[in-house]
Amino acid sequence: MAAELPLKIGVAGAGAMGAGIAETAAASGIAVILTDLRQGAAASAIAAILARAAKRVSSGKLSQGQYDALAGALSAADSPDALADCDLVVEAIIEDPAAKQALFARLEDLLAPEALIASNTSSLPIGVIARDMKHPERFAGLHFFNPVPLMKLVEVIPGPRTSRETMERLLAVARHLGKEPVEVRDTPGFLVNHGGRAYPTEALMALQEGVASPAEIDAIMRDCCDFRMGPFELMDLTGMDVNFTVCEFLHQSYFAEPRLRSTTYHRYLLQTGQLGRKTGQGFYTYHDGAEQPSADFISTAAPAQQVVLAEDLAELRDFAASLGCRVAAEDDGASPVLAFPVGEDLAAHAARLGLPATRLVAVDLAFDSTRRVVLMTTVGADPAARDAVAAAVCASGRRVTAIADSTGFVAQRIVAAVANLGCEMAQMGLAAPGDIDKAMRLAMNYPCGPLEWVDRVGAARMLTILRNMQALSGDDRYRPSAWLRRRATLGLDIRSL
């Protein structure tokens, strides 16, 4: 039997999230009453919604009939008492447990016994908020993402006493609103805020280690891995006041879990007011006329004509062929030596294989190298070898980013961190494996979900990257999730339960 849809939805809180939820519900054909204790705030929010809708009518993106239906579905009030006849009330007020609990106590006395109550909280545990409710079985989290009318994902989070009927009804509401709901366990940060930590924090670690600049790391993740924004661009967009605070909250909530650890420079930017775009300065400078740093390495050397392969790998042979370089049958003692380390830094790779570190040039072939090629050399290397390979890459029509020696280059380590955290969330049962991938694609605009990354890279190679990074760095932030290790070891599908 299909879950019953509400005839009227109440939204408590007329800020950006509350107004967005109200607009989305009204656009779906459901009557909505928006309330806020601030005098006139709800009416002002509705006026702003209708002003934006009027512009869409003028541009032909919305019909007059749709505008009239939207306007007719929205009403405003300055007191929660106006929500008494609603079938569902969604709370979107400040992230203060006491304020939310006071509102829910009032709503329980107002609403009919069968009416549902939901919180749009992004971080507070649903079970904690519902602890003193009389009827916690009708309460759950309904976490939308900003901007609500555009973002497809909704996290639906049960508390310890939420009924299955309540969950089914809320999932049905989310689908009716045109959203993609995922059911998520009640844990700190729920799913998206938890899973979204790996991308920026691993980039911050690479920056802290002096591997590459923010511009270089961002370009690598865009051009080689198809992320829409690099991690530093993304942090500047959301603001250090938001992303560092979330990082710190989750790191503390999970008892200093190394996978969730940020860096001192991230905290420093917050402390010094360099919040990103909103202040004009973060990892990048945003005032008019500011020169943006380049990620491109420019070589004036003659392009390499011949190379030696550190190992007889198909990837290295194909790469040499793409440069138009001959592959020497044996080391001539002069040509650049191409290497493709997986999870290792070049120093460890050279020592393990007995390679000449001075002429060794590593290239990351684990990801797309058709637009940008990442070259890596180790300490004491002769720059002439790198420069000759870089010149050959540029002559082939591609860009080059040259980085310092690093376990896992840049892309390997960041993608492995994203994938490993996704596997750990699956291990913890935060959501179904397919929902973890869907949530991270929809909410974070990732090119693919964490477990999908494992499929693209290969479970065995992903496990090798993490094991090598953990062994060489001694840092447990790279310890492989048991979910990944077991499935890679047994050759099972990464999504198998």
Side-chain angles (χ1 to χ4, degrees):
M1 182 176 175
E4 182 182 349
L5 290 171
L7 300 175
K8 180 183 280 189
I9 289 179
V11 179
M17 293 301 297
I21 295 167
E23 178 180 354
T24 301
S28 77
I30 296 177
V32 178
I33 181 164
L34 179 63
T35 68
D36 197 294
L37 294 177
R38 297 169 296 162
Q39 191 73 25
S44 295
I46 290 176
I49 291 169
L50 296 179
R52 290 193 298 271
K55 290 182 179 178
R56 294 201 299 275
V57 172
S58 300
S59 63
K61 296 178 181 177
L62 193 72
S63 71
Q64 186 61 47
Q66 289 172 315
Y67 174 89
D68 293 340
L70 178 68
L74 288 165
S75 59
D78 295 327
S79 169
D81 293 344
L83 304 174
D85 62 344
C86 290
D87 305 295
L88 164 65
V89 174
V90 182
E91 167 272 317
I93 64 173
I94 59 172
E95 290 287 84
D96 180 327
K100 291 180 188 292
Q101 288 168 333
L103 173 62
F104 295 141
R106 189 170 180 181
L107 290 174
E108 282 200 292
D109 291 337
L110 281 171
L111 298 173
E114 65 275 10
L116 302 184
I117 305 171
S119 174
N120 184 58
T121 181
S122 62
S123 59
L124 298 175
I126 299 304
V128 172
I129 299 173
R131 183 182 56 200
D132 298 325
M133 292 182 74
K134 299 173 187 173
H135 300 286
E137 69 278 358
R138 62 171 172 170
F139 174 75
L142 197 62
H143 181 213
F144 294 81
F145 291 82
N146 194 34
V148 178
L150 298 180
M151 297 295 283
K152 286 290 186 183
L153 186 73
V154 175
E155 294 178 319
V156 186
I157 309 106
R161 291 177 287 175
T162 303
S163 72
R164 191 65 226 170
E165 179 190 1
T166 294
M167 289 298 294
E168 293 299 335
R169 288 174 65 188
L170 290 175
L171 289 165
V173 168
R175 293 188 190 101
H176 179 78
L177 301 187
K179 304 301 182 184
E180 292 275 357
V182 294
E183 188 170 338
V184 179
R185 222 180 93 196
D186 188 18
T187 55
F190 306 134
L191 179 58
V192 171
N193 277 333
H194 187 167
R197 292 312 93 211
Y199 187 54
T201 58
E202 190 54 37
L204 284 159
M205 284 299 296
L207 177 66
Q208 178 168 284
E209 293 167 15
V211 172
S213 69
E216 289 167 336
I217 294 169
D218 283 348
I220 291 168
M221 299 314 294
R222 288 193 312 267
D223 294 347
C224 301
C225 300
D226 292 324
F227 282 85
R228 293 188 186 181
M229 298 183 74
F232 296 103
E233 293 171 313
L234 182 59
M235 284 186 278
D236 269 2
L237 179 65
T238 58
M240 259 44 77
D241 52 334
V242 175
N243 50 64
F244 178 80
T245 302
V246 173
C247 286
E248 186 177 44
F249 165 74
L250 282 165
H251 188 236
Q252 292 174 353
S253 296
Y254 279 92
F255 298 96
E257 163 58 57
R259 295 188 186 106
L260 302 173
R261 187 181 68 237
S262 187
T263 66
T264 55
Y265 187 58
H266 195 193
R267 181 178 61 200
Y268 175 78
L269 289 180
L270 172 66
Q271 292 173 333
T272 56
Q274 300 177 80
L275 306 184
R277 286 185 176 273
K278 64 184 70 176
T279 60
Q281 180 67 51
F283 294 102
Y284 299 98
T285 302
Y286 296 94
H287 61 73
D288 291 343
E291 184 177 350
Q292 298 305 319
S294 173
D296 299 339
F297 178 77
I298 305 300
S299 172
T300 58
Q305 300 299 311
Q306 178 171 285
V307 295
V308 177
L309 302 187
E311 299 175 276
D312 189 15
L313 300 176
E315 292 104 325
L316 285 174
R317 286 194 172 276
D318 291 344
F319 178 70
S322 77
L323 301 182
C325 288
R326 296 185 303 275
V327 175
E330 57 185 38
D331 192 354
D332 60 4
S335 299
V337 181
L338 295 182
F340 173 29
V342 176
E344 293 179 298
D345 60 22
L346 200 47
H349 195 67
R352 181 170 63 84
L353 297 178
L355 300 170
T358 55
R359 289 184 289 117
L360 198 57
V361 181
V363 56
D364 191 357
L365 301 174
F367 301 96
D368 184 11
S369 59
T370 60
R371 289 175 289 177
R372 182 175 298 277
V373 174
V374 180
L375 301 180
M376 182 170 75
T377 50
T378 191
V379 291
D382 181 355
R386 176 202 60 196
D387 294 354
V389 174
V393 172
C394 292
S396 72
R398 291 171 284 179
R399 296 182 174 185
V400 173
T401 294
I403 66 172
D405 204 0
S406 167
T407 51
F409 288 92
V410 166
Q412 285 183 29
R413 64 188 291 173
I414 293 177
V415 169
V418 170
N420 196 39
L421 189 54
C423 289
E424 188 63 15
M425 292 192 297
Q427 180 67 34
M428 294 167 63
L430 296 196
D435 282 345
I436 292 172
D437 280 341
K438 177 168 70 173
M440 299 313 292
R441 284 196 317 269
L442 293 178
M444 299 298 295
N445 283 321
Y446 285 176
C448 59
L451 281 69
E452 291 170 325
W453 270 121
V454 178
D455 281 342
R456 284 178 61 172
V457 172
R461 176 171 282 179
M462 189 71 78
L463 183 59
T464 297
I465 292 170
L466 289 163
R467 280 177 166 168
N468 284 340
M469 291 183 66
Q470 183 187 22
L472 290 169
S473 69
D475 193 339
D476 272 353
R477 74 184 281 116
Y478 306 115
R479 73 189 189 280
S481 168
W483 182 277
L484 170 62
R485 177 180 54 79
R486 293 179 181 127
R487 285 156 182 77
T489 301
L490 297 173
L492 297 177
D493 183 87
I494 192 62
R495 294 173 191 80
S496 57
L497 296 170

